[in-house]
Amino acid sequence: MDIIIELILKVLDLYALLILVNILGTWIDPYNQIIIFQWIRKITEPYLRIFRIVIPIGNMNFDVSAILGLMVIEMIRAIFIRTASLGML
């Protein structure tokens, strides 16, 4: 059972890392031309679309979906670790 818990936590960590790389990719490749960033966006966009909130700031828009998505992943991790440590899993 511990192996499954560790695997789930690693998958959540990996997905959070992909979201961070996606954020970096929007700065490096804003026109979505680099293939690795295209691949990462295809993986992360369906999840981030749930949290899509765009805040207009002057002539720019600030998208908070990645921040909210990472917060939810971290809350899921914390709940999962807590229930595993209490022996509920």
Side-chain angles (χ1 to χ4, degrees), residues 20-81:
L20 291 173
V21 171
N22 184 22
I23 295 168
L24 183 64
T26 59
W27 295 339
I28 295 173
D29 181 28
Y31 300 111
N32 203 20
Q33 295 176 347
I34 300 174
I35 202 121
I36 188 73
F37 292 126
Q38 291 174 358
W39 179 78
I40 290 172
R41 285 184 186 124
K42 283 182 185 177
I43 293 172
T44 58
E45 276 305 311
Y47 173 70
L48 294 178
R49 198 175 305 128
I50 298 169
F51 307 105
R52 184 80 59 211
I53 298 173
V54 177
I55 301 172
I57 301 175
N59 293 335
M60 298 174 53
N61 292 324
F62 183 65
D63 182 11
V64 295
S65 62
I67 296 168
L68 294 174
L70 288 171
M71 288 172 60
V72 168
I73 287 175
E74 189 57 37
M75 285 190 311
I76 290 170
R77 272 186 101 258
I79 291 169
F80 195 80
I81 290 171

